[in-house]
Amino acid sequence: MHPPRSRYTRLPIGIVVNLGPQQPATDNPQDYAVTLLWHQFLNGYFLDPIFVDEYPQGVLSFIGEFAPPPGHAAGSPGIEPWG
């Protein structure tokens, strides 16, 4: 059981992620597709649950059966969505 967040409103809690820009190696459409997927893995997988309340669809499709269940990003125990 997670304690109510209201008890810990003054704790200096944050998140640190290692983000980075992605650029395709060529103008080939396959390079663009791989670049987008890598961006979703490297950046979106960590930021989208915080700001969009869901994981990037491209990542979920790619990892298939290993994907978190629907609503996991917003419905994790003790975690309330932004907004």
Side-chain angles (χ1 to χ4, degrees):
M1 176 125 204
H2 294 281
R5 292 178 75 186
S6 60
R7 291 179 53 194
Y8 302 99
T9 58
R10 296 187 185 268
L11 288 178
I13 298 174
I15 182 172
V16 176
V17 292
N18 186 17
L19 305 175
Q22 311 331 297
Q23 296 178 358
T26 70
D27 289 335
N28 185 314
Q30 289 179 329
D31 280 352
Y32 278 96
V34 170
T35 300
L36 175 60
L37 182 59
W38 185 240
H39 166 72
Q40 291 175 348
F41 264 109
L42 186 63
N43 301 323
Y45 197 76
F46 300 100
L47 296 178
D48 284 10
I50 295 169
F51 297 108
V52 185
D53 291 337
E54 61 185 32
Y55 292 99
Q57 189 57 47
V59 173
L60 298 179
S61 298
F62 186 80
I63 61 178
E65 67 178 283
F66 301 104
H72 177 77
S76 298
I79 298 188
E80 299 172 13
W82 288 78

